[in-house]
Structures are given as C-alpha cells and as structure tokens.
Amino acid sequence: MSAKLIDGKKVAELIRSQVRDDVNEWVGSGNRRPFLQVVQIGTDPGSTTYIRAKTRACEDVGINTGTNRLPDTVSAKELKRIIRDYNQNDEMDGILVQLPLPNHLSSHDVIESIDYRKDIDGFHPMNVGRLAVDQPSYRSCTPAGIFELFRHYSIQVKSKHAVVVGASNIVGSPMAIMLSRENSTGKATTTICHKFTRDLTQHTISADILVVAAGQPGLIKGEMVKEGAVVIDVGINRVADETSKKGYKLVGDCEFESVMEKASWITPVPGGVGPMTVAMLMKNTLLAAKKSIYPDG
Ligand code: GUN
C-alpha cells in the first residue's frame, strides 16, 4: 500500500475562509472585531516563527491582534500582573502566552493566571478538566485540528484502536482524552505511549489510528505500523540540510518513506497538522469573542 496524503494546508484554508466569513458577519452585525493578545517572552526563534504565523493568520481572517514582547528576565510577578490586566480588559477576547517559557517561570502558574474564558489555547486546567468530562471547553488547537482532518477525510474514529505516542499537555494528553471520550468525536479504544513505554512497537503495530507527537525525528518506522493504518505525524523537527538555503529542513517524527508504504493515510511534514493548529486558534478566538463556550462570562 502507498498512503494517500492528508492535505492540512488545504483543509486549514477551508477553515480559515469559514472563520473569515463568520468574522465578517459578526462585525457586520455591529459587534466589536475579535482581538487576540499574544505574549512572547524572550527571543526563541521557533517561538518568533510560530507567533508570526499566528498573527498573520489573524490578519488574514480579520481578527485584530497585538504582541507584547517581554524580556526573558521578566519576573513571574510582573508577568502575572500583565496577564491580570488582560483578563480584565473587555476588549481582549483571547490571551496566548507562547510556550516554552524561560526556566525561572512555571508554565503551570502562568497558564492558570489566564482567565479560563480567554484561554483560547485550551491549556487551562478548567478547559482540560471540562474536556475530560465532556463539557464544552476550549480545545487544544492541534488535537482539535486533527479531528477536523478526520472529519474532512471521513476517517472513522469510533471503535478503532487509537495509539498516541507522546503525552504532552499541549498535544498527546488532550488528543488521548478526545479520542477516548464518549462524545461526538471520540469513542476509540485509546493507548497512550510515552518515553517510559516498554516495547513501543508492540503498541504502535496494533494501531488503526497512530498519532505521533514525541518530538523525535524518525522515531516511527514502517515496520512499527499496521498495514492500512491512519498515521498523524505531529512532529516538527529541524534537521541539518546543507542543500537548503536555511541550512535545515523540517521533518516529522515518522520515517516518511517507510511509513508511507504501510499507512492508508498520512499527514506530511510540513503541510499536514501544522497549518491546522493555526486555523483552530482562529476558530477558538472567534468562539471567545462570541462567548460561545462560556456565555455567562
Ligand atoms: N508552543 C508550542 N505550541 C504551542 C501552542 O499551541 N500554544 C502556545 N501558547 N505555545 C505553544
């Protein structure tokens, strides 16, 4: 078998054009234009690239946005004071603090200081907790985007064996919750693997749906994948490449050529999951502006 490609770039553009139409309608009916406040701490080049993609997407769909760039020496107290101001600012619908943070700041404390009603990343324990009990919540953008891909390509999740490799708070964990819950998206039998898993292949080989978010280039090889599996590669790794102008290229967590031979569907890197994450952030920001998840807030 040679896998068919899941075109995240195309599906993300469909979602963005839907959000653009919805924003136009929202503003056309006399409402304030949605606003996303971004906070960058330090000058990590990866974070700068992601923030640029997010703010460009905002401009593209008609969401207003501002980025507050703080030095990597900012104290927890000062950062939380700034976030408190944003929480109380009725003109700001969503607040996004780009991760990772410098070592002296606790991401848990910072995330919890964001008003959960403005947590368009879906990282606040209130949103993660509500997700875990099937209550409306902001959903972490990458897993939510993967479910949009399943929907677009009519990939059935119900009753399948889904294996998630990687248990991060941003992707693996919420992905496993969404796959396993008995709500409209989930109903899969779900296994979570992580760096302490013994014999990873024993698990991956039985996956009908394999979601890999481990941050390790080439971790998953063709021999670890069941014939006909759907493979979602969330990894975005920079590896040295002298033939490229930048000196590096982006690769996923799967050995693309060998996995392609086994899978029925596969997401490429780049152009698979990445664009979906940004599109879902636009969707969440619009939900925040409309107060769709927390109407009384
Ligand atoms: N760092 C890596 N991915 C993300 C994300 O989705 N949101 C934020 N805030 N930081 C990230």
Side-chain angles (χ1 to χ4, degrees), residues 54 96-100 121 123 170 277:
K54 291 169 185 181
L96 181 150
V97 178
Q98 185 67 28
L99 304 176
D121 264 323
F123 295 166
I170 295 182
T277 301

Side-chain angles (χ1 to χ4, degrees), residues 2-8 10 153 231 256 260 264-272:
S2 184
K4 284 177 276 190
L5 287 183
I6 294 177
D7 188 346
K10 183 183 86 182
Y153 287 96
V231 178
F256 191 73
M260 179 101 186
S264 57
W265 289 99
I266 190 167
T267 56
V269 178

